[in-house]
C-alpha cells in the first residue's frame, strides 16, 4: 500500500458562525457541531458544550475520554471505516491530517480509568496533548443510562465531530506531504533483501467492561491475530473505545500517529526492512492468552521476520499477554524488543510488571506510573475535577486544602504511553 499523507498545521481554533479553515486558523460553528453530533436525536445524551483549550492556558480537562486528530481521505476510501463510513480498506491513496490540534471528549465520568490533561503547570510536562490547540467536547448523559451506552455515545460524538472537521480540509493544499509505502510481502522482502526484516506487533486493549478497541468497526475482542499494513492505522482503521488507565491508554490520536510505526518507516530501506504490523488483543482468560500468543508468534514466523517490536496497552493482566508474545516469538528465533511501562510503587521498589521471563531481556519503558506529582490549582476546569477522587491514580484525598492535586502520574493522559508517544522513560542503574 502507498499512502500520501499531507499535513496542514492549525495555528489556532476560534468559534465562528461558519466552520472553515483559513490561513491556518480553524473556525468552528457550535451550531454546526451540534447538528453533526446529533445530540438532539440521541436517546442517551442530555447536553453538549464546546470549549477551546490552548497551550499555556490555565485550564484542566478532566476526565478525558478520548483524544482524536481530524483527517480526511482525498483518495482511497473514507476515514474511520466500519464505524462512520462504509467498510472500505484504507491505507492507500491520499489523506490530509490537521496537525497541532486535537478533539478531546470529556464530561461525566464513564469509567474509573480516565485521565487529566493540564494545559499549563507541572501536569502539562507529562502529556504531549498540552502542546496542542484543543477543541474540547463536553458531553453529559441522561439519567439512568448504562455505562456501555454512555461510552458509545461519547465515542460516536467525538468521531463525528472529528470527521466533520477533517472534511473541512478536503479541498485544501497540504503544506507538506510524506509518502509511506509497504509492498506485498514477497516484493517487500526482495526490495531490501540485505536488511533485517522487522515486524511490529501491536497489542490492542480488549479486556471488555469499557476496555475495548475497534478494528474496521469490529470489537477487537472478536478478532484473532492478523496483519495490517501500517498505513491502515493512519486512516483510522483502529479506534479507541476504552477507559484504560490514562497514562498508558492509546487514544485514537495515538493510533493515527503511532510512533513505533512512524519511526520504523524512518529506518525502512536504510537500516531495516519494515514488513508491517501484526495486531493482536489482550485477553482475560488464560486459554485465550495462550491461543492468541501462539497465533501471533506463528504469524511473525510465517512473515519471515528477523526481529520484532511488541508494544502493549495498559498494565497488570495484559503483562501476561506481553510476556507470552515476547517469549514465543523469541523461541521462533526472532529477536524481540518489548515496549511497556512500569507500576513499581510510589517508591519505585516494587516489581515493575505482573509477569516476567528471562527471554524478555530487551525492554523499553515509558516510566513508572506510580510516581507522585502535585498539580497546581488552575483557573478553569472543563469537565468535573471531582473525578480525580475516583480515577485510577487519584484518591479520595487527592484534592488538597489549597486546591492542588496530589496524584500518581497514572492520571495524566499519555504520561507513560507504551508506543513512545510521551516524554518519559527509565533506565536501570
Amino acid at each position: 500500500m502507498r499512502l500520501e499523507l499531507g499535513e496542514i498545521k492549525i495555528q489556532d481554533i476560534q468559534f465562528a458562525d461558519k466552520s472553515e479553515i483559513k490561513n491556518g486558523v480553524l473556525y468552528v460553528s457550535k451550531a454546526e457541531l451540534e447538528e453533526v453530533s446529533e445530540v438532539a436525536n440521541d436517546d442517551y445524551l442530555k447536553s453538549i458544550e464546546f470549549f477551546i483549550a490552548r497551550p499555556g492556558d490555565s485550564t484542566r480537562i478532566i476526565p478525558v475520554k478520548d483524544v482524536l486528530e481530524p483527517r480526511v481521505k482525498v483518495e482511497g476510501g473514507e476515514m474511520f471505516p466500519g464505524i462512520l463510513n462504509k467498510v472500505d480498506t484504507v491505507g492507500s491513496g491520499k489523506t490530509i491530517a490537521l496537525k497541532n490540534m486535537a478533539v478531546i471528549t470529556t464530561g461525566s465520568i464513564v469509567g474509573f480509568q480516565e485521565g487529566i490533561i493540564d494545559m499549563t503547570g507541572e501536569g502539562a510536562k507529562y502529556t504531549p496533548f498540552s502542546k496542542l490547540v484543543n477543541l474540547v467536547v463536553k458531553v453529559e448523559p441522561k439519567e439512568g443510562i448504562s455505562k456501555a451506552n454512555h461510552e458509545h455515545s461519547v465515542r460516536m460524538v467525538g468521531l463525528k465531530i472529528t470527521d466533520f472537521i477533517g472534511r473541512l480540509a478536503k479541498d485544501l493544499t497540504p503544506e507538506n506531504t510524506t509518502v509511506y509505502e509497504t509492498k506485498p510481502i514477497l516484493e517487500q522482502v526482495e526490495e531490501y533483501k540485505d536488511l533485517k526484516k522487522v515486524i511490529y506487533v501491536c497489542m490492542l486493549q480488549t479486556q471488555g467492561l469499557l476496555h475495548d478497541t475497534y478494528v474496521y468497526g469490529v470489537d477487537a475482542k472478536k478478532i484473532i491475530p492478523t496483519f495490517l499494513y501500517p498505513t491502515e492505522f493512519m486512516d483510522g482503521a483502529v479506534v479507541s473505545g476504552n477507559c484504560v488507565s490514562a497514562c498508558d491508554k492509546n487514544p485514537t490520536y495515538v493510533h493515527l500517529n503511532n510512533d513505533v510505526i512512524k519511526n520504523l518507516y524512518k529506518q525502512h530501506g536504510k537500516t531495516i526492512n519494515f514488513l508491517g504490523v501484526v495486531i493482536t488483543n489482550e485477553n482475560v482468560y488464560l486459554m485465550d492468552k495462550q491461543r492468541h500468543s501462539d497465533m501471533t508468534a506463528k504469524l511473525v514466523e510465517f512473515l519471515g521476520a528477523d526481529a520484532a517490536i511488541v508494544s502493549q496497552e495498559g498494565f497488570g493482566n495484559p503483562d501476561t499477554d506481553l510476556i507470552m508474545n515476547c517469549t514465543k516469538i523469541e523461541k521462533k528465533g526472532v529477536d524481540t524488543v518489548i515496549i511497556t511501562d512500569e507500576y513499581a510503587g510510589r517508591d519505585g521498589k516494587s516489581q515493575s510488571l505482573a509477569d516476567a521471563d528471562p527471554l524478555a531481556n530487551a525492554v523499553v519503558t515509558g516510566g513508572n506510573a506510580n510516581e507522585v506529582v502535585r498539580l497546581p490549582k488552575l483557573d478553569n476546569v472543563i469537565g468535573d475535577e471531582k473525578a480525580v477522587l475516583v480515577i485510577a491514580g487519584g484518591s479520595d484525598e487527592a484534592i488538597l486544602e489549597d486546591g492542588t492535586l496530589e496524584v500518581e502520574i497514572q492520571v495524566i493522559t499519555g504520561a507513560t504511553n507504551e508506543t513512545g508517544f510521551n516524554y518519559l522513560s527509565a533506565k536501570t542503574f
Side-chain angles (χ1 to χ4, degrees), residues 235-303:
D235 279 347
V238 180
V239 169
S240 175
N242 67 62
C243 303
V244 72
S245 287
C247 62
D248 51 20
K249 171 181 176 174
N250 291 335
T252 300
Y253 187 106
V254 170
H255 289 306
L256 292 166
N257 293 278
N258 187 296
D259 264 12
V260 179
I261 290 173
K262 291 169 73 173
N263 281 286
L264 287 173
Y265 265 129
K266 287 180 182 178
Q267 294 302 315
H268 177 60
K270 300 174 183 176
T271 61
I272 63 169
N273 189 349
F274 179 29
L275 301 183
V277 184
V278 171
I279 58 169
T280 185
N281 48 23
E282 299 174 350
N283 297 285
V284 176
Y285 299 109
L286 181 59
M287 180 183 296
D288 295 324
K289 293 176 183 292
Q290 291 173 331
R291 177 192 305 111
H292 285 239
S293 55
D294 283 346
M295 297 183 75
T296 297
K298 182 174 64 176
L299 189 50
V300 170
E301 178 188 39
F302 174 74
L303 292 168

Side-chain angles (χ1 to χ4, degrees), residues 8 35 97 105 117 133 144 150 212 226 242 285 288 325 344 354 356 379:
I8 294 175
E35 182 178 355
T105 49
I117 295 174
V133 184
H150 184 185
D212 300 311
T226 191
N242 67 62
Y285 299 109
D288 295 324
N325 284 323
D379 295 337

Side-chain angles (χ1 to χ4, degrees), residues 185-200:
I185 188 69
L186 296 181
E187 293 181 43
Q188 190 69 64
V189 170
E190 181 63 23
E191 183 173 19
Y192 300 111
K193 57 186 176 183
D194 295 329
L195 297 179
K196 180 167 284 191
K197 301 181 291 297
V198 178
I199 283 286
Y200 170 37

